[in-house]
Amino acid sequence: MKIKVLFFLTVFAFATTSIFAQKWSDLAIDSLIAKMSIEEKVGQMTQIDLGVVAEGGICNLKQPQRIDITKLQEAIGKYKIGSILNVGCGSGTISGPNWNVIHQTIIKENKKTARLPIPILYGIDAIHGANYTKGATLFPQQIAQAATWNPALVEQANAVSAYETRASGIPWNFSPVLDLGRQPLWSRFFETYGEDVCLASAMARAAIKGLQGDEVSSKYKVAACMKHFLGYSFSLSGKDRTPVWLSEREMRAYFLPTFQEAIATGAKTVMINSGDINGTPVHANYDILTTLLRDELKFKGVAVTDWEDIYKLEQLHRVAATKKEAVRMAIMAGVDMSMVPNDFQFCDLLVELIKEGTVPMSRIDLSVKRILSLKRDLGLFEHPIYAVKDYPAFGSVDHSNLSYQAAAECLTLLKNKNAVLPLVAQKDKILVCGPAAHSLNLLNGAWTHTWQGVDTTTNTPGKKTILQALQEQYGNLLTYAQGASLDALINTEELLSKANSADKIVVCLGELPSTEVPGNIKSLDLPEAQIQLVKQLASLGKPIILVCCFNRPRIIAPIIPLVDAMVYAYLPGDEGGRAIADCITGRINPSGKLPFTYPAASNDIVHYDRKRTEDLDIDFSMNAYQPSFDFGFGLSYTQFIYAPISISTDTLKKGSKILVNCKVKNTGARRGAEVLQLYYNDLVASITPSVKKLTAFKKVMLEPNEEKEIQLELTSESFSFINKNNQRVTEPGLIELMIDQQKKLIYVE
Ligand code: BGC
């Protein structure tokens, strides 16, 4: 009798929540959890790869991709799985309608087979647009988005990514990467927002807002996933998933703030760092996953492992003697969901651990509640999927225009001797050459249609390479010779003879699309063949325009003096070819600024926010900061001048704010955008202060002769740092504010 009443109340709770509130209440979720078996709870904590339930198998999906019903029935019926992901290894892109069929099949089978009405949560890496869906809009990669210094634009780009990901039926995006890019060798450097805490935090906020919006249950929004908590990007060797040695002070000063910002913005999920810090794998680290993430940062969402990382506690890290011990360690450290993803051992082992009492049910219920709440917040109980026709703007011209704008705004003009750029289209004869000149893959990088992004057969038809976009403007005045692949010279005789007949040379260098372990390199130096290509061209004495499409700042110091202009393009995405051509011919005025310090030598990695080392009274020039280009640097086709800074007070009291005003004027003949970068220098502090540190910025567009006054608001928090007790503090003292060459001293109490 009692059971019947409870059942009635539970059904009533579901009904009232869906009819009146359109959402499941916490009470309804608790009631649902109370009805779940151990196996059902563990199933919710399990994420498998599409290959486990599709025809063909893992990394070998049949084309077109199709669900294998028998395998799906086992996954849902026996293992009660709660989540699926897919990666682009071996599967390539999937068309929107085919995605729909796949999801409809999963939803139908889940309804039929699962005892409880819990939707399955599908997740994917939509890293720079819905990159695993055919015809989706592909944006510049994160490092390029950071180079726009335009958070509003980054928010819009992420909103389009969310729209097109949801159009593919997928409500969970494993993006953005919030690891700070302070190790330029790292194969995933291009996935970061660069080396600076202030810039990357602003981008983190923009990305989360764009992906999740104000209401994540909207059919145009997805849950974001902050990656990869914590310190993943900073391995000592620079190789992916190799040991990180990080003091707590450094971790809090550099690697935590982007995550803090994203949590404050409402990020729904987090993915855990695959590697280890100071010898402890993060997947087994209670201090990071529970004490820091939950107790201190108050993160309420879902923590998912990275690929196979629970098993790796046994197989790779060797901190667990068996897989079962690995599962126990990870769950007790704070993992909610295991990206298993290729088998069901995790389910069997966790069920055993719970039945033995080694993992308490209270721990499991906590994770299951987080997972069900996420599904509830995404509106999946009511709407597991929407119709393809609900997304008429998928892959639209408006979306590609936005991608073009992002590509245009990321382009960073690093050199322009004698104003060689912009070229006047149709005037000079130009030679276009280099490995990146005629490749869409080299503009997009990894996570493009496939995991490593090297497959040329899956590229979006109609998108233009740099060569094709320049050809449209130059017609017969343009000749092309590749001249070099990524690592070998090709037919230099043909190249030099064509170069001889040209007036100007556009040479486009690049890097093989790659990420994670396949992207590891042994040196930051650009392969010698590409250096030789530029050297040979330079021997002809013609103006050379260098375009760089790199995953990370590959060393080009030997050729910088040989070229007249240099456009750093990062990985600008599917519209990058058009944007680069338009930048070269002046249809757009470049406004990108470097989001990292560009090193001049492989072993001379010094960040702009370095400690003071150079102005000692003996010759310590070897200690000097001598990058090829400074963080925040980028030229324009127009010129800007700054008026002196004015401030609302010269003494900043605790809890109050200071307004910093600065006028900037466009003194050139062209419309252009400038980024006001406000740095500060803490003159004396208990922890050796940085020579300068970015604390606020704003991008402004100025017509010729136009002057604008920009106001930036700071508080004493803006000058805080992590002290020797690992606490964030602002110490009283003098602070020097700097915008361009303008400086002002203030006293912070
Ligand atoms: C990567 C993650 C990614 C996951 C799923 C892992 O190998 O490290 O960034 O989200 O695969 O594709």
Side-chain angles (χ1 to χ4, degrees):
M1 181 64 185
K2 265 187 188 157
I3 291 170
K4 268 192 185 162
V5 170
L6 182 67
F7 183 70
F8 174 76
L9 284 177
T10 312
V11 170
F12 181 70
F14 294 163
T16 46
T17 46
S18 59
I19 294 168
F20 298 118
Q22 292 299 318
K23 267 193 169 182
W24 284 45
S25 64
D26 281 352
L27 176 67
I29 287 186
D30 287 339
S31 319
L32 186 54
I33 294 174
K35 291 171 68 187
M36 292 169 80
S37 66
I38 294 179
E39 288 76 7
E40 282 164 337
K41 290 178 183 178
V42 168
Q44 286 304 310
M45 296 170 69
T46 305
Q47 183 179 61
I48 54 164
D49 184 69
L50 181 64
V52 176
V53 294
E55 289 180 9
I58 300 144
C59 280
N60 188 29
L61 297 188
K62 268 203 180 144
Q63 306 288 336
Q65 300 82 350
R66 242 196 314 263
I67 292 288
D68 179 326
I69 284 293
T70 317
K71 290 183 190 167
L72 183 63
Q73 279 167 350
E74 186 192 25
I76 296 175
K78 184 165 176 203
Y79 293 104
K80 295 141 201 350
I81 52 113
S83 184
I84 300 181
L85 88 156
N86 82 287
V87 289
C89 80
S91 55
T93 48
I94 306 182
S95 71
N98 196 22
W99 264 125
N100 207 265
V101 173
I102 288 172
H103 292 309
Q104 295 293 0
T105 314
I106 295 171
I107 291 165
K108 216 168 112 200
E109 192 51 48
N110 193 40
K111 271 201 182 131
K112 204 174 91 195
T113 311
R115 193 177 67 92
L116 297 166
I118 304 176
I120 288 181
L121 174 60
Y122 206 105
I124 204 159
D125 298 278
I127 299 297
H128 64 128
N131 40 241
Y132 290 149
T133 307
K134 245 179 216 158
T137 309
L138 295 185
F139 286 92
Q141 296 275 1
Q142 270 190 215
I143 194 72
Q145 293 191 26
T148 67
W149 291 61
N150 186 345
L153 182 57
V154 170
E155 183 177 335
Q156 281 177 287
N158 276 279
V160 168
S161 287
Y163 179 102
E164 298 199 357
T165 304
R166 203 74 193 244
S168 318
I170 302 174
W172 187 13
N173 185 4
F174 305 138
S175 179
V177 166
L178 300 183
D179 307 306
L180 220 58
R182 291 181 78 84
Q183 168 49 289
L185 261 182
W186 189 41
S187 59
R188 307 187 73 170
F189 186 84
F190 70 93
E191 295 179 49
T192 74
Y193 289 126
E195 78 185 38
D196 179 69
V197 170
C198 170
L199 178 62
S201 299
M203 293 301 165
R205 193 164 51 238
I208 304 295
K209 274 167 96 185
L211 291 172
Q212 297 190 169
D214 295 330
E215 189 42 80
V216 77
S217 66
S218 153
K219 65 172 142 184
Y220 305 126
K221 293 296 168 193
V222 293
C225 185
M226 311 174 278
K227 297 197 310 195
H228 307 76
F229 197 71
L230 185 65
Y232 174 42
S233 55
F234 202 54
S235 71
L236 201 60
S237 69
K239 292 185 181 163
D240 192 46
R241 292 169 159 87
T242 57
V244 170
W245 293 93
L246 198 56
S247 72
E248 182 172 348
R249 213 188 68 74
E250 201 173 6
M251 183 265 279
R252 287 180 178 275
Y254 290 106
F255 298 94
L256 193 59
T258 46
F259 288 92
Q260 279 173 308
E261 193 63 47
I263 292 171
T265 315
K268 290 280 173 196
T269 73
V270 68
M271 191 182 290
I272 300 162
N273 168 6
S274 266
D276 70 78
I277 300 184
N278 305 335
T280 304
V282 182
H283 281 78
N285 194 327
Y286 181 89
D287 294 342
I288 290 185
L289 298 184
T290 299
T291 313
L292 177 62
L293 181 65
R294 303 293 179 180
D295 302 345
E296 185 181 326
L297 303 184
K298 309 277 178 245
F299 177 63
K300 302 261 182 301
V302 171
V304 63
T305 73
D306 202 340
W307 188 267
E308 254 182 356
D309 273 321
I310 295 188
Y311 295 166
K312 287 196 185 125
L313 295 177
E314 182 232 358
Q315 290 165 348
L316 180 78
H317 296 291
R318 305 297 297 143
V319 292
T322 60
K323 272 204 178 111
K324 187 169 168 183
E325 175 58 3
V327 172
R328 190 199 63 78
M329 277 178 134
I331 300 300
M332 294 314 292
V335 163
D336 294 318
M337 185 186 283
S338 168
M339 187 186 285
V340 183
N342 295 333
D343 60 37
F344 297 105
Q345 289 180 76
F346 167 80
C347 303
D348 294 333
L349 295 172
L350 186 52
V351 168
E352 270 177 48
L353 286 162
I354 300 168
K355 287 188 176 161
E356 288 165 13
T358 330
V359 172
M361 191 58 89
S362 55
R363 171 67 200 86
I364 296 298
D365 286 349
L366 201 58
S367 288
V368 174
K369 183 157 187 181
R370 288 177 190 140
I371 293 163
L372 296 186
S373 303
L374 172 64
K375 293 181 177 184
R376 181 264 316 270
D377 293 351
L378 282 164
L380 299 184
F381 283 93
E382 293 87 359
H383 297 288
I385 193 166
Y386 291 90
V388 176
K389 69 170 173 40
D390 288 350
Y391 301 90
F394 176 89
S396 64
V397 173
D398 280 354
H399 287 184
S400 57
N401 285 345
L402 187 70
S403 171
Y404 170 85
Q405 194 192 335
E409 287 202 31
C410 83
L411 298 178
T412 307
L413 184 65
L414 294 178
K415 183 172 180 185
N416 197 12
K417 196 168 121 197
N418 302 328
V420 62
L421 284 181
L423 302 185
V424 183
Q426 300 292 343
K427 188 170 156 273
D428 295 317
K429 284 195 279 182
I430 62 166
L431 167 75
V432 178
C433 61
H438 193 33
S439 165
L440 267 185
N441 299 67
L442 266 58
L443 295 176
N444 277 299
W447 305 106
T448 302
H449 309 300
T450 59
W451 176 40
Q452 294 298 313
V454 282
D455 181 355
T456 54
T457 64
T458 50
N459 287 335
T460 312
K463 300 299 174 191
K464 295 197 166 37
T465 63
I466 304 170
L467 172 67
Q468 289 166 329
L470 279 170
Q471 254 158 355
E472 278 191 350
Q473 298 190 43
Y474 276 90
N476 290 340
L477 288 175
L478 182 149
T479 50
Y480 169 67
Q482 189 178 336
S485 65
L486 292 170
D487 48 18
L489 289 168
I490 300 173
N491 202 346
T492 35
E493 252 171 58
E494 182 204 1
L495 172 84
L496 294 175
S497 109
K498 286 186 175 171
N500 256 322
S501 347
D503 301 312
K504 287 175 181 147
I505 299 164
V506 177
V507 53
C508 308
L509 305 185
E511 183 170 0
L512 185 72
S514 58
T515 184
E516 303 189 46
V517 175
N520 285 349
I521 49 173
K522 291 182 176 157
S523 163
L524 258 191
D525 290 347
L526 192 66
E528 189 51 28
Q530 297 195 52
I531 298 286
Q532 283 307 323
L533 174 70
V534 177
K535 285 189 173 166
Q536 296 204 4
L537 292 167
S539 67
L540 304 178
K542 312 220 168 182
I544 297 180
I545 290 95
L546 174 64
V547 178
C548 298
C549 305
F550 298 153
N551 302 350
R552 51 208 137 190
R554 302 303 294 261
I555 304 299
I556 41 162
I559 52 174
I560 295 172
L562 306 181
V563 303
D564 297 80
M566 183 174 165
V567 178
Y568 197 82
Y570 314 86
L571 298 172
D574 257 352
E575 305 303 328
R578 282 171 59 213
I580 291 168
D582 289 351
C583 174
I584 288 174
T585 59
R587 288 183 180 177
I588 56 171
N589 187 356
S591 62
K593 308 277 176 193
L594 285 178
F596 51 78
T597 309
Y598 204 123
S602 225
N603 289 328
D604 193 12
I605 311 296
V606 182
H607 300 289
Y608 89 92
D609 54 353
R610 66 210 181 271
K611 307 297 170 178
R612 188 174 304 278
T613 49
E614 48 264 60
D615 48 357
L616 302 177
D617 50 7
I618 41 176
D619 180 15
F620 265 117
S621 58
M622 277 307 285
N623 261 1
Y625 170 66
Q626 293 167 328
S628 279
F629 301 102
D630 204 358
F631 170 84
F633 180 69
L635 301 166
S636 164
Y637 293 152
T638 188
Q639 294 81 41
F640 302 99
I641 56 161
Y642 287 82
I645 303 173
S646 69
I647 46 178
S648 58
T649 173
D650 53 14
T651 305
L652 178 57
K653 294 194 177 4
K654 250 204 177 78
S656 65
K657 59 185 183 196
I658 179 171
L659 301 174
V660 180
N661 280 44
C662 185
K663 284 186 188 155
V664 57
K665 184 171 182 184
N666 179 352
T667 55
R670 286 194 59 142
R671 183 173 194 263
E674 172 67 330
V675 180
L676 270 94
Q677 303 171 33
L678 173 55
Y679 294 90
Y680 75 95
N681 171 10
D682 192 344
L683 297 192
V684 179
S686 62
I687 290 285
T688 319
S690 298
V691 186
K692 64 178 205 174
K693 228 169 173 26
L694 185 72
T695 189
F697 64 91
K698 181 133 185 81
K699 191 167 190 172
V700 278
M701 178 60 83
L702 293 164
E703 299 297 331
N705 270 318
E706 192 186 2
E707 184 176 56
K708 274 188 186 157
E709 180 160 6
I710 305 304
Q711 189 169 79
L712 298 165
E713 191 180 304
L714 306 175
T715 63
S716 50
E717 261 289 288
S718 314
F719 310 111
S720 65
F721 64 92
I722 306 295
N723 72 6
K724 73 174 167 55
N725 301 322
N726 301 320
Q727 282 157 348
R728 185 163 281 283
V729 293
T730 303
E731 287 178 349
L734 284 171
I735 298 268
E736 185 178 43
L737 300 177
M738 301 172 268
I739 299 181
D740 196 60
Q741 303 304 316
Q742 307 297 332
K743 297 185 175 172
K744 200 98 193 173
L745 265 188
I746 60 167
Y747 185 79
V748 176
E749 284 190 342

